Amino acid sequence: MRSKLFITLKSPHDLGDLELVRALAKGSRSGLLLLEDAVIFAANADLGKELLGAVQDVYVIKDDWEARGLPLANPGFKVVDYPEAVDLIMERYEQTITV
Amino acid sequence: MRTMVIQIRSGTMMNMDTNIAVKLARAALDKGYGVRMFGYGEGVTLIKKGQDPKRFPNVGNETKELVEKGLEVVVCETCCKARGIARGEEIEGTKIGSLTNDLSRFVAEGDRMVTLAR
């Protein structure tokens, strides 16, 4: 099964449930890249656990996270810059899916 | 050369989607990838010449600068016409094209496709 990088720009209040991500990620190596208001997930430990229940790795884009001055409530999340985000998209995962 | 395709549907002043698109494009170009961007819906505003936002990043200028570094940008003509954007009003080096000709070519030839949408 192809490895998948999910991408979302939606805040936890807009993204709704993670069933779609969980279903599509099943059986494959998967990650989720948080952009814009989606970085709010990183500040909430419970929401963060939910994400790590759907995918193996969660990445938070540095610019948007710093712009909002949020804490990192989930030590397992990786804060990445744009060159690292390009590596995730072009090299580390075989497919990108925006949700 | 491996290529990233970025699909954008948000207007330059709606949210930060186009800012993210140009940041991603810049980082990918700097790493030696090819980058192609396609805009439709409000995303066509990306190529409008003469953008002059106050207190916000000027995505038009950044797009022009990245085109000079090899970024290929095409937007949908139907969506342009719907918004009164005519040929000749696009930033130099960008193109008013079509979903059927240009986006399909980008998708067929690209290695990864990133959609920035809500």
Side-chain angles (χ1 to χ4, degrees):
Chain A
M1 182 94 76
R2 290 202 286 183
S3 55
K4 298 177 182 66
L5 179 67
F6 296 89
I7 294 173
T8 188
L9 297 88
K10 295 175 185 162
S11 82
H13 315 292
D14 294 328
L15 183 58
D17 66 35
L18 290 169
E19 276 322 301
L20 176 62
V21 173
R22 198 172 279 117
L24 291 172
K26 191 174 284 179
S28 65
R29 186 167 55 83
S30 57
L32 173 61
L33 175 59
L34 305 176
L35 299 163
E36 281 190 60
D37 281 342
V39 301
I40 295 170
F41 274 106
N44 182 311
D46 293 336
L47 289 173
K49 275 193 200 85
E50 237 186 285
L51 292 191
L52 287 173
V55 294
Q56 288 131 27
D57 292 293
V58 177
Y59 308 94
V60 187
I61 199 76
K62 192 165 185 264
D63 285 12
D64 296 338
W65 178 59
E66 285 182 344
R68 290 160 178 78
L70 295 170
L72 192 63
N74 294 277
F77 284 18
K78 299 174 185 70
V79 177
V80 296
D81 59 19
Y82 274 93
E84 288 166 320
V86 169
D87 288 340
L88 294 174
I89 292 163
M90 296 305 289
E91 307 297 342
R92 186 152 161 59
Y93 294 95
E94 294 162 298
Q95 195 176 13
T96 56
I97 303 172
T98 298
V99 291
Chain B
M1 174 167 63
R2 299 180 74 237
T3 301
M4 177 190 292
V5 178
I6 302 172
Q7 181 181 218
I8 188 81
R9 298 202 305 253
S10 304
T12 52
M13 296 304 288
M14 279 170 66
N15 47 44
M16 297 294 281
D17 295 10
T18 48
N19 301 81
I20 285 177
V22 294
K23 283 184 186 180
L24 205 53
R26 185 187 300 278
L29 287 167
D30 289 348
K31 281 179 168 279
Y33 293 108
V35 185
R36 290 168 153 176
M37 209 181 285
F38 191 90
Y40 63 101
E42 296 300 326
V44 301
T45 56
L46 182 67
I47 55 87
K48 180 69 182 63
K49 207 166 18 182
Q51 296 175 51
D52 185 21
K54 298 285 186 268
R55 294 185 307 280
F56 289 99
N58 189 321
V59 176
N61 287 352
E62 289 187 65
T63 301
K64 184 171 190 312
E65 191 191 316
L66 293 179
V67 164
E68 288 156 11
K69 290 178 77 168
L71 173 66
E72 188 176 350
V73 183
V74 181
V75 299
C76 167
E77 178 162 38
T78 306
C79 299
C80 281
K81 285 180 174 173
R83 290 158 180 82
I85 299 175
R87 281 184 185 259
E89 293 184 61
E90 69 272 23
I91 290 168
E92 193 184 332
T94 65
K95 177 185 162 188
I96 296 179
S98 75
L99 284 161
T100 44
N101 296 327
D102 298 290
L103 180 58
S104 57
R105 176 168 54 89
F106 283 5
V107 172
E109 296 169 1
D111 294 282
R112 293 293 184 276
M113 172 96 162
V114 176
T115 297
L116 294 174
R118 282 151 204 280

